[in-house]
Structure formats: structure tokens, C-alpha cells
Amino acid sequence: MALVNIKVNGQPVQVEEGKTVLEVLKEIGIDVPVLCYHPKLPSIGACRMCVVETRPGVLQASCTLPVSEGLEVQTDSETVKKARKFVLNLIFSERNHYCMYCEMSGNCELQDLGYSLGLDHFELPTYMTKFPLDTTHEDILLDHNRCILCRRCVRACSEIAGHNVLGISQRGIDSMLTADLNVPLGESSCVSCGLCVQVCPTGALTDKKSAYLGTRRESELVRTICANCSVGCGIEAYKKANHLVQILGDWENPINNGVLCRLGRYEPLSDAKKRITQPMIKKDGKLEPVTWEEAIDRVKAILNEKETVGYISASLPLEVLSKFKDLLEDNVGLLENTSNPIDTFGKLSDILNSDKIVVIGVDLDKNFGVVGSYVKRAIFNSSELIIVDDKPNSLSKYAKLIYQTKDLDKAIGNALTGNNPVIIYSQVDETIADSLSRIRGKAKFIWLAPASNYLGAKKLGLNGNFNYKKNAYIVAPYIEKIPENLNKIILQTSYYTPAIEKADVVLPSSIWLEEEGTYINIEGVEQKLAKVLEPLKGVKNNLEILSMLLGR
Amino acid sequence: MKKITIATDWLDGCSGCHMSMLDMDERLVELIKMGVELNATPITDFKEPTEEVDIGILEGAVSTNHHIEVVKNMRNKCKILIAIGDCAVFGGIVTMRNYFSVEELLRRGYIETESTVDGKIPTSPEIGKHTKLAKAVNQIVKVDFYIPGCPPRADAIYYVLKELVEGRKPLLVGDLLRYD
């Protein structure tokens, strides 16, 4: 990279060409206040907070100004300081920025700037117009009164998440953040990815489920992964007093680059399913609470009959899967077992470099939002989307072609005319397996595997091959259906479901937020799940339960 | 020892800022030992400054014609005027009423509140009349120093008074400058 010579506050500095002044200033440790700028978003130079003086009296936004040979900037001159404070006063004078009744107080970039620039009163009268409060969305609260029109949300929604829901309508003082063609957010095409909330510098966009739980700054941050599906996105989980406060996407995780879906961002906070918090044993046809010792002894007694087969969910960490295999001497089957003819998988980033994308039988916006995000971004890079689905599909409006499942081969044939085709699929039935087996190696395959650690389980050799026994030990955080024709059933699970009534012993186990371990995602990337919360009282984590059984 | 007289008053506020002043605790005594003398405050017998004072302190937003009088009187009688708390400094929580007309405000407050039975809007001439908008003190008179916060920290009030008593110009930074 070529170097250019610039002067910062009179000091000569050599910097890389192609960077902006703001980037360079940050690198050499000069603090520049920013508001519309976000390191992960394209800069637009809208708020003028980051101005620097390039010639006496000439102010330019450093976030959009590229460095050039001979450039001289003043970052701390009286003109600069006066301009920044004036800009801040202008922002505070529009709409309602009274911190004392704002939920985001203490977690607000506008407030931070007020403090750091020493704004101890308003120099301009405030603008006393009441703006609407949009409460229509299930997860996101949009308070226009707190909006500073920085357009971070708009850029995040369109250019990073690819959803293109948010925009700005009108001009000047009438400018308003708008969803679609000016509909309430809850009725818009929003897919609840929540990236807009993540980048909002004020209290304009907030997470409803995180409201009044405490600010992020007061919370403890755990950087981990989401184990809700097999994509394995990086998340930042904020917790306080063993309660989740908020989940944000991890910008540094190359799988999702900060983007999440509703399942990842909001589901853990909205989880209202009833947890099992004590071991139970069936007595007179009814499950009765017992101590851990009693339950473990009972399980041990059943296992000693040597008539037990294991079924485990591939949503658990490798360590748990492996220990369960040890416990049942390899006679273990996967609850989510699927046969898939493809065994080499592409990276999600291959979607961005594709020219044809086939999506087979899966509604990405609804079930694999982050993958949907990749696909939408690829479409804006002029990739062609081909959907194969018999049901209505949220991505249909972006599709160049839509085929019925019976025409799968036609769709694949079309895709293979491209230079970089990507094939995305989830459930594999015989037809799909047959079609895919004939095109091995001819395209990049993204398989949305049925459980979060499915590839990990496969690596351990778990599959549908096991010997039938009359008793079963089933380990799954959530169990909907229990295999038929069993005598005694040991169930290690987290939630009450009608299915648990069939069990003879129930061992309450932790959910993924309370677990730690290793996962392998759909790209084959091995990641560590870190423990966010301590298990609920009475609950033990999966590995601990299995260790108790192996230990005795 | 030179005497430094202080008068305080509250406008449309909740008295929380005065509570914060009391929260200075023994530092109040320290200030008094440094020569500070409280002339008139809502917590003393004199309700308005009896003479010209060195420092005037106002809490609350300017919301009625009565408040305007109090503010102007205080400005005339003090050398240095300090606005304390978000209401006096910015207008604060009181400005929520600016989204409604005065009629709506009074009807809601005196008649429509869920716990009110047979309410009526008071009309006594001794009660101030609401202005159309609640405003910060600096929209009525010149203010010399500001201590925002809801309420302002006792530390911030103490710092500002001590600086003034010792003849320096206070500048709120760090934890002393807070909006909530």
C-alpha cells in the first residue's frame, strides 16, 4: 500500500493511502467524536460531528475525507471545538433528547458526547413537536422522538443485513425514519434481525425484551456463539444477576459479521417455555419429584440391565455427545438423523461470490435469517436467485425463477450454467438426495443441517445405526416425540413437553446458554460455546449428569 | 471572614434538587464555616431573598406566570445565578406537558386522573397561571452556571459552590456532569 504524507495538528505523519482521515486519526490515537459514523457501516458524513479543519476556517467530515499527499488537518482547534459543540447543540435542539426519562440513558452515544464535550445546557431552544412512537413491532420499539436521523439503521438494514426495510422519507426538518412505504414497523417486511437496534446510537430503536433490565454497560459481556441452529453465529450475550439482558451480533465473527436473525437475537430473551427444575421418577404412573441421588441410582439400575440404547440430539456440544457415546458403549443414535449425499460444504461467503443461487425447500427469512441475509446481499451484487419450493416463500419476490419441487433438476440445470453456482438446502428427501448426488463437486453446497452441532455429531460417527434395545436413554433439551416400542425411558431434558410423561426417569438438564463446549457449524468451522448463565437451581449441565453416571 | 450569601428557590420541579443540596451532608457545615450564609430557601423561614445575595440557585422549569416573577426577582437580587437540575437547565421532564395544551393539562391533572372524584380545576387568583410552554430558566433570564442532573449529584453542587466561594470558575467534567 502506498504511503502519503499528511500533517496532523502540525505533526508530520506517514499514512496509508486509501484510508479516511478518521481511520488514520483513530489509528494514531486521536479521539474524534462521531455519531453517524459506525466502523462496520459505510460512512455518509451526515452528522458533521467528526469535522476537522483542513485549511483555516474550512471544516470537513473526517469520516468521508480520504487522506491525500500534503493534507493538513487540525483536530483540536477552536474552530473545530466550536463547530462540534454547535452540531451537538443542533442535534439536541431537534426532537426529544431528555435523558431523565429515556431507557437508554447510560447507554447512549449522544449522551456520551454531551458529557465529553461538556454540554451543560442547551444553547438553542428545543423543538417541541411530538413525534410518533411505533410500538407495533413484536421485538423492536421505534421512538421517533429520540431519532437523530443518523441513518445508521438504514445503512445496517440495507447494506449489511440486506433486508432493505428502513429508509428515510421527506427532507430536512420533515425527515422521518420509515419502514417500507411508510407502514408501521410491525406491519412492514422487517424480518426482526434487530441489526438496526444494534447500531442505533440513541434510544430511537430499542429491544423491547431488553427494556428496563439494565444497560449493557452495567452488564457482564460473554462472547460466544448461538446454538439455536447449525449456522453458528457469533453473539455477544449481556447478562446481569444470572439473567440475560440483551444479545447482540458479534461483528468480529466471520460467519455472521454482526448480523443475527430473530431466533438468535430475541428468542433466548422471549423464552417462556416452562423449565424442568427437579429430577422426577415415575411412581404409580405419575412423575414425582425426587432427589438427584435417587434419580441417578434409578438411571444406573436401568443402565445395568445392559438393555439400553441412547438417542441424543445433535444440538449438544461435542463433549456431551462424546461422553454419551462412552456411557452407552457406542450404541447411540441421533434424534435428527438425516442422510445427505453431499459431504463437502461451502462457506457462507461463497454465496456473496456466486452468480446463481438455488434455494431448495426452505424459507430463509423465516428459518435461517442470517443465510437469507447473505442471499439478499448476493442478489444486490447481481447474483440470480432460483427458488425451488411448493410452498409460498418469503424470498420469492427476489427470485429470478421459481420452480416446483418436481422440477428440481431443471432448477439445478439452470444453476449449473453459472460460473459460481451455490445450492442451499435444508431437508433432504429421496428426490433431493438423488438430484444432489448427481452434481457432487459441480457447485458449492450450503446445507442447513437439522441441528446446531450436526456436523460435529457426524464427525464423532453418530448416525442412525444402532442396535435396538428395549430401554432408551434420550438426551435432548426439548423433546417433542419419543420413539415407540420402548420399555423403560430415561429422559435428560430441559423443558416440560407432553412427551416427557412417557418417561420413567426425568433428569433436568441445562439449555445451551448454560452449557459450554465445542460445536461444528454448517461450514465445518469448529467454535467454542461459552457458558453465559449458571444453570437454574436444581438443574445440572449435561456433561455433569453424564459424569455422575460414569463415575459411579 | 467574608460572608457569601446564597438564596435558593424552586419552580416547576419535584424538590429533588434541594434534596441533593441537603445530601451534601456535613459539607454544608463546611461551606457555612467557609462563610456561606443561607438567606432564603424553601426550607428556611424567608421564602424570597430579603436583600441582594451573592449566589441565587433555582430548581425546576419555568411553567407559570408566578415562576417568571420568581425567576426575574432572583436574577435581580443575585450576582451569580445557578440553574440546578435538568428542569431548570433544559426544561427537563416538565416539558412533557408541552405536547399538550394548558387546558388538556389541567383537565387531565385535576379531573381525569383515575383516582379523582368530582375534581375541579382550581381558579384561585393566588395560584400562578400556566404559560403555554414549560421552559428552561435560561430562556427567561441570563444564567451564569448550570448543574444538570436528575437530580444533580450532591458532589456536583458542592463542587460548584466551593469553587465559587473560593473565587474560581467551576467547570463540570467527568462524573459531575450527568443528565440523569
Side-chain angles (χ1 to χ4, degrees):
Chain A
M1 188 61 90
L3 295 175
V4 292
N5 295 291
I6 66 165
K7 271 187 183 175
V8 177
N9 299 333
Q11 296 291 315
V13 195
Q14 270 205 330
V15 296
E16 276 177 35
E17 201 180 5
K19 291 194 168 170
T20 65
V21 172
L22 180 65
E23 283 165 344
V24 165
L25 292 175
K26 277 171 79 177
E27 276 170 22
I28 59 176
I30 291 181
D31 188 36
V32 179
V34 294
L35 210 45
C36 74
Y37 167 84
H38 187 286
K40 302 294 175 183
L41 301 174
S43 294
I44 55 169
C47 74
R48 320 308 287 180
M49 206 63 230
C50 66
V51 287
V52 290
E53 202 173 2
T54 51
R55 284 197 305 278
V58 177
L59 294 165
Q60 286 186 272
S62 63
C63 69
T64 50
L65 180 67
V67 290
S68 56
E69 185 63 36
L71 181 74
E72 291 186 25
V73 295
Q74 291 291 331
T75 64
D76 211 26
S77 65
E78 280 313 307
T79 319
V80 167
K81 282 199 264 190
K82 229 175 107 183
R84 287 177 184 165
K85 203 160 177 183
F86 179 63
V87 165
L88 195 61
N89 263 298
L90 282 172
I91 295 170
F92 269 107
S93 77
E94 275 189 43
R95 308 208 178 181
N96 184 324
H97 300 298
Y98 288 123
C99 305
M100 65 295 291
Y101 52 92
C102 180
E103 154 62 5
M104 291 313 279
S105 185
N107 216 21
C108 169
E109 292 178 41
L110 182 62
Q111 187 185 53
D112 292 346
L113 285 181
Y115 294 158
S116 62
L117 269 57
L119 192 92
D120 64 0
H121 69 284
F122 295 157
E123 284 166 20
L124 302 165
T126 53
Y127 176 65
M128 276 299 169
T129 304
K130 192 179 184 182
F131 288 88
L133 176 69
D134 187 343
T135 60
T136 54
H137 195 285
E138 195 189 339
D139 304 298
I140 300 167
L141 186 72
L142 167 56
D143 186 351
H144 290 282
N145 294 286
R146 304 289 187 190
C147 177
I148 56 166
L149 299 165
C150 68
R151 292 153 172 83
R152 276 195 196 177
C153 53
V154 176
R155 283 173 281 158
C157 186
S158 54
E159 296 179 57
I160 306 299
H163 301 308
N164 280 289
V165 178
L166 297 175
I168 298 284
S169 61
Q170 303 296 337
R171 290 289 182 273
I173 196 83
D174 296 323
S175 301
M176 286 291 278
L177 177 62
T178 309
D180 290 347
L181 293 173
N182 202 11
V183 297
L185 196 56
E187 293 162 26
S188 71
S189 58
C190 172
V191 296
S192 308
C193 85
L195 196 65
C196 52
V197 177
Q198 183 162 333
V199 298
C200 181
T202 69
L205 286 157
T206 49
D207 284 343
K208 281 184 175 177
K209 307 259 165 25
S210 300
Y212 304 104
L213 296 180
T215 63
R216 289 200 292 274
R217 284 176 197 168
E218 298 165 344
S219 310
E220 191 187 325
L221 166 63
V222 182
R223 188 163 267 122
T224 179
I225 56 164
C226 169
N228 271 327
C229 86
S230 47
V231 178
C233 297
I235 60 168
E236 290 180 349
Y238 290 85
K239 64 158 180 177
K240 207 175 152 186
N242 209 34
H243 281 275
L244 265 189
V245 169
Q246 197 172 23
I247 290 181
L248 300 184
D250 183 354
W251 294 108
E252 306 309 324
N253 190 311
I255 292 165
N256 58 316
N257 301 298
V259 180
L260 289 178
C261 67
R262 191 191 174 280
L263 191 63
R265 195 183 296 268
Y266 297 120
E267 192 56 35
L269 280 143
S270 6
D271 185 5
K273 297 191 294 293
K274 198 177 168 203
R275 289 282 298 274
I276 305 170
T277 54
Q278 53 198 355
M280 292 180 284
I281 288 183
K282 190 167 276 172
K283 291 175 181 166
D284 303 326
K286 211 169 157 258
L287 285 170
E288 300 284 352
V290 295
T291 62
W292 269 100
E293 287 70 26
E294 199 179 328
I296 291 288
D297 285 346
R298 180 91 176 96
V299 172
K300 221 181 86 185
I302 298 173
L303 293 180
N304 279 342
E305 292 175 23
K306 299 282 177 200
E307 273 299 327
T308 308
V309 58
Y311 294 92
I312 192 161
S313 165
S315 64
L316 294 162
L318 281 182
E319 292 78 358
V320 174
L321 297 172
S322 167
K323 188 144 260 181
F324 193 60
K325 267 183 73 180
D326 291 350
L327 180 70
L328 290 161
E329 289 154 3
D330 286 351
N331 195 25
V332 171
L334 273 189
L335 285 168
E336 302 91 347
N337 194 53
T338 313
S339 59
N340 181 0
I342 305 295
D343 50 16
T344 312
F345 302 109
K347 300 271 174 202
L348 288 168
S349 54
D350 291 333
I351 300 174
L352 296 178
N353 303 321
S354 67
D355 53 354
K356 301 246 185 191
I357 305 166
V358 189
V359 175
I360 306 167
V362 53
D363 193 327
L364 294 177
D365 268 354
K366 292 197 174 123
N367 294 310
F368 293 90
V370 170
V371 182
S373 205
Y374 271 97
V375 170
K376 288 178 187 178
R377 272 180 286 164
I379 294 165
F380 299 120
N381 288 345
S382 71
S383 183
E384 281 179 12
L385 173 65
I386 301 163
I387 287 181
V388 183
D389 207 336
D390 298 334
K391 300 185 291 299
N393 194 303
S394 309
L395 260 60
S396 294
K397 62 184 171 187
Y398 300 97
K400 177 101 173 168
L401 294 164
I402 300 173
Y403 289 98
Q404 296 285 303
T405 313
K406 63 180 167 59
D407 296 324
L408 178 61
D409 285 336
K410 278 190 208 161
I412 291 176
N414 183 320
L416 294 184
T417 63
N419 296 321
N420 295 304
V422 168
I423 293 174
I424 302 173
Y425 61 107
S426 170
Q427 274 155 356
V428 192
D429 59 18
E430 266 178 39
T431 333
I432 295 173
D434 185 44
S435 298
L436 295 183
S437 63
R438 278 183 268 121
I439 54 159
R440 274 195 205 104
K442 290 182 183 164
K444 291 272 169 51
F445 295 92
I446 308 278
W447 180 39
L448 307 169
S452 48
N453 202 15
Y454 195 85
L455 295 197
K458 284 286 166 194
K459 199 177 164 193
L460 287 179
L462 290 171
N463 48 40
N465 300 329
F466 51 86
N467 301 319
Y468 175 80
K469 303 272 184 181
K470 61 179 183 170
N471 301 332
Y473 187 167
I474 304 169
V475 182
Y478 187 85
I479 188 89
E480 275 177 292
K481 200 166 162 279
I482 283 181
E484 299 293 326
N485 303 323
L486 290 165
N487 184 12
K488 288 175 195 141
I489 299 167
I490 306 160
L491 188 57
Q492 182 168 320
T493 190
S494 311
Y495 296 102
Y496 279 98
T497 62
I500 73 158
E501 295 301 330
K502 284 191 177 176
D504 294 274
V505 189
V506 176
L507 304 172
S509 59
S510 52
I511 56 171
W512 65 269
L513 287 160
E514 302 159 348
E515 290 270 331
E516 55 192 344
T518 314
Y519 279 78
I520 299 180
N521 88 332
I522 52 168
E523 298 176 321
V525 175
E526 195 173 296
Q527 300 193 99
K528 287 285 172 203
L529 173 82
K531 191 202 276 184
V532 178
L533 303 172
E534 288 304 318
L536 287 185
K537 197 167 173 279
V539 171
K540 292 190 189 294
N541 72 47
N542 284 294
L543 207 54
E544 193 186 345
I545 301 172
L546 298 177
S547 302
M548 283 164 84
L549 290 165
L550 275 166
R552 285 196 214 182
Chain B
M1 186 171 60
K2 197 179 164 281
K3 204 172 71 173
I4 294 145
T5 48
I6 297 181
T8 80
D9 210 338
W10 58 40
L11 311 163
D12 201 349
C14 67
S15 78
C17 303
H18 274 77
M19 296 300 147
S20 250
M21 264 189 257
L22 295 178
D23 256 355
M24 284 193 281
D25 299 331
E26 68 269 31
R27 286 174 296 181
L28 262 173
V29 180
E30 197 186 305
L31 287 172
I32 287 165
K33 282 183 181 162
M34 287 164 79
V36 166
E37 189 180 292
L38 289 177
N39 176 284
T41 76
I43 38 189
T44 56
D45 282 347
F46 295 122
K47 298 304 175 201
E48 56 180 85
T50 54
E51 52 179 28
E52 182 147 308
V53 293
D54 296 306
I55 301 170
I57 297 176
L58 287 173
E59 165 195 340
V62 184
S63 201
T64 68
N65 55 357
H66 171 69
H67 296 147
I68 295 175
E69 254 178 60
V70 172
V71 168
K72 286 183 173 165
N73 186 35
M74 185 66 94
R75 178 72 273 185
N76 287 335
K77 287 207 172 145
C78 69
K79 290 180 196 145
I80 296 170
L81 181 62
I82 309 175
I84 67 163
D86 282 342
C87 298
V89 174
F90 303 118
I93 205 161
V94 177
T95 56
M96 271 181 158
R97 79 143 166 103
N98 292 356
Y99 292 146
F100 307 94
S101 70
V102 171
E103 291 68 37
E104 282 175 299
L105 171 78
L106 294 174
R107 199 166 59 239
R108 175 72 189 141
Y110 287 103
I111 298 172
E112 293 171 357
T113 38
E114 285 66 13
S115 58
T116 303
V117 181
D118 297 334
K120 71 172 203 272
I121 296 170
T123 52
S124 163
E126 290 187 10
I127 299 172
K129 291 255 178 292
H130 280 91
T131 47
K132 191 163 167 274
L133 296 175
K135 291 178 175 177
V137 173
N138 71 349
Q139 287 179 271
I140 311 295
V141 296
K142 181 176 174 287
V143 173
D144 303 301
F145 295 103
Y146 301 87
I147 314 177
C150 190
R153 311 292 184 269
D155 293 349
I157 302 171
Y158 170 71
Y159 163 77
V160 169
L161 291 178
K162 189 161 177 281
E163 290 295 287
L164 289 174
V165 167
E166 291 178 348
R168 290 184 297 268
K169 203 173 157 183
L171 182 67
L172 293 176
V173 288
D175 274 350
L176 299 181
L177 180 62
R178 284 292 173 263
Y179 304 149
D180 61 358

